[in-house]
Amino acid sequence: MSDGLSAVFWGVLSFSLLVVVHESGHFLMARLFGVKVHEFMVGLPGPAIRFRAPKTTYGITAVPLGGYVRIAGMEPGPEEPLLGPALAVVTRLRSANAFDLATALSIDESTADSLLITLADWDAIEQSADHEYTYHARFDAELAEDPDALLDRARRVTYRGLSTGRRIAVLAMGVIFNLITAILVFTAVLASVDTAHDTGLVGAVSPGSPAARAGIAAGDRITAVGGVATKDFQQLVTTVARFEPGEHVAVRIERDGVGRVVTVTMARNPETRRALLGVSPRIEAVRLSVPEAFVESFSYIWLVVLAIAGFFNPSTFQASVALSSSVIGASVQAAEAAKAGPLYYASLIAGLSLSLGVINIVPIPPLDGGKIAVELVERLRGRPLPKSFSLGLSVAGAVLLFALIGYLMYVDVSKIVSG
């Protein structure tokens, strides 16, 4: 298999696995609360191979990248006030189309059609198998006498019918599943192999580098750069990348228990085009116990949080881009990891799962964190946000996210082309 096809195969497989994990969290929590889940699909919306189970339709779409679950009652904005009367009409007539409903309620057919689609999504009525635009009643006809009580009964199996706390649980469980998966896989991997442990000491200094000219030597511990504390080498790399080549920076070091400050004139990193100090870490190989590996796995969460937070800080944006990958770069890495062996691939999947989980915490619609923020705002207001405003927030957030993804893809392609 060529390198390109290998990257596509492992990229599609890896991201599909991650999204299945994420969507399983939403799916299982919704089902636990008795909410109707119409579909659990692997891939982007479109033509698909479907398997219809009694409660949910499962399947794989023509573009098997990502996935989604379709949960009843997740439409934005306040409820349409005519939903109760509309449900009562269909329940009383036993079947109806948009024309029948429009006539009964003295409304236009487009509004009637919208009401029928919403009620079908709530599983309150059922679309006819023979006539696409006709819907059949699911409740007994005598219940139509009280439209409000009938609608309350229909709402029980919808996301809208949940309390704010349970809605947030449904939204958050995708993130939680990603984080749990990452922690469990990292724990298994770290407990199975010797792990490269960062001692916090300088292992080597590149000859002629800024560090060498400033007198930094192997065995030193760098505790701060430009006034920013650095506890490990990863934090040191991120901090150094904030500065510009040629900038004079105060670096605090410890040598034999004695601290001192040296001034370093930063060089240019040829890969990131940011500042370069010129040191490498002293690494020790250690085998962690399962409890130690479990605790160590949580440290990766904080590293990913810092990396993602860097995208929202102008001073660290370029450094975060240099240390990140888009779906293109991650697909190449997935192919390389799969070739290296199961443990390498498992580690990559854990890292990607962690990244997917953390980025979904960001309070920007349409991410889960953004949806949770909207739920909290609506709880404080005591009523839903206007539908147009909610949709506008989601569009603005999607534009921001796709702009970032597009830029990361551009950077990845540039790296591949340049060799």
Side-chain angles (χ1 to χ4, degrees):
M1 185 183 295
S2 69
D3 290 342
L5 289 176
S6 178
V8 170
F9 172 79
W10 287 106
V12 169
L13 177 63
S14 300
F15 282 101
S16 294
L17 285 173
L18 294 174
V19 173
V20 166
V21 169
H22 182 89
E23 298 299 333
S24 292
H26 298 314
F27 171 79
L28 292 174
M29 187 55 65
R31 290 285 292 269
L32 178 66
F33 292 146
V35 173
K36 172 70 176 180
V37 181
H38 293 287
E39 292 181 319
F40 189 130
M41 305 296 292
V42 177
L44 300 177
I49 300 173
R50 288 178 165 83
F51 167 71
R52 300 186 186 280
K55 294 184 178 180
T56 302
T57 297
Y58 303 87
I60 300 177
T61 70
V63 184
L65 182 62
Y68 63 94
V69 293
R70 188 163 67 86
I71 298 173
M74 289 196 77
E75 66 276 2
E79 283 185 9
E80 169 58 55
L82 288 176
L83 278 175
L87 179 56
V89 168
V90 179
T91 303
R92 185 174 60 254
L93 296 178
R94 310 312 297 157
S95 67
N97 55 32
F99 176 78
D100 299 326
L101 186 60
T103 302
L105 297 179
S106 300
I107 57 177
D108 60 83
E109 286 192 41
S110 62
T111 300
D113 188 54
S114 177
L115 291 169
L116 290 170
I117 290 173
T118 298
L119 290 171
D121 179 69
W122 286 23
D123 207 33
I125 58 177
E126 183 179 17
Q127 189 174 29
S128 171
D130 300 322
H131 303 284
E132 182 180 357
Y133 301 106
T134 299
Y135 296 83
H136 300 305
R138 298 182 67 93
F139 296 109
D140 294 334
E142 59 267 20
L143 296 175
E145 299 302 321
D146 189 344
D148 290 337
L150 180 59
L151 190 63
D152 284 340
R153 184 166 177 172
R155 198 185 289 111
R156 293 175 189 172
V157 298
T158 70
Y159 174 83
R160 281 183 174 272
L162 298 177
S163 65
T164 299
R166 291 191 170 192
R167 290 185 189 185
I168 290 174
V170 171
L171 294 172
M173 196 51 63
V175 169
I176 292 172
F177 264 45
N178 279 130
L179 298 184
I180 290 174
T181 298
I183 289 169
L184 292 179
V185 174
F186 274 134
T187 298
V189 171
L190 291 173
S192 301
V193 297
D194 288 339
T195 305
H197 177 66
D198 181 3
T199 63
L201 302 177
V202 174
V205 179
S206 301
S209 67
R213 291 194 295 270
I216 298 174
D220 290 347
R221 183 184 300 274
I222 298 176
T223 59
V225 177
V228 179
T230 54
K231 297 180 180 179
D232 52 40
F233 190 75
Q234 180 62 45
Q235 203 170 17
L236 173 65
V237 171
T238 303
T239 303
V240 168
R242 297 180 181 181
F243 299 97
E244 296 291 339
E247 190 171 351
H248 302 296
V249 181
V251 176
R252 182 173 181 79
I253 65 173
E254 285 185 3
R255 180 179 298 170
D256 299 325
V258 179
R260 65 191 183 106
V261 176
V262 297
T263 300
V264 175
T265 302
M266 295 293 183
R268 181 184 296 277
N269 187 319
E271 294 184 2
T272 66
R273 301 185 182 277
R274 304 293 290 178
L276 174 70
L277 183 58
V279 297
S280 56
R282 178 178 293 179
I283 301 297
E284 293 179 350
V286 297
R287 177 68 63 89
L288 302 177
S289 66
V290 172
E292 289 172 334
F294 181 74
V295 173
E296 179 71 16
S297 67
F298 280 89
S299 66
Y300 294 109
I301 296 178
W302 181 241
L303 292 177
V304 173
V305 169
L306 291 176
I308 291 175
F311 286 114
F312 301 93
N313 185 341
S315 65
T316 59
F317 177 78
Q318 288 297 334
S320 294
V321 169
L323 297 172
S324 303
S325 296
S326 69
V327 63
I328 295 175
S331 296
V332 173
Q333 293 169 18
E336 293 173 348
K339 186 176 181 180
L343 288 177
Y344 291 95
Y345 182 69
S347 297
L348 179 72
I349 288 295
L352 292 175
S353 184
L354 184 55
S355 298
L356 179 62
V358 172
I359 199 167
N360 262 285
I361 298 173
V362 177
I364 299 176
L367 298 177
D368 293 332
K371 294 177 182 177
I372 291 172
V374 169
E375 289 290 348
L376 293 174
V377 169
E378 290 183 340
R379 178 59 184 269
L380 291 173
R381 294 180 79 240
R383 62 187 186 281
L385 293 169
K387 183 176 181 179
S388 58
F389 183 76
S390 295
L391 292 176
L393 281 178
S394 294
V395 170
V399 169
L400 176 63
L401 292 172
F402 280 117
L404 176 59
I405 292 170
Y407 183 66
L408 289 174
M409 292 175 68
Y410 166 76
V411 172
D412 279 344
V413 171
S414 298
K415 290 178 181 177
I416 295 172
V417 170
S418 62

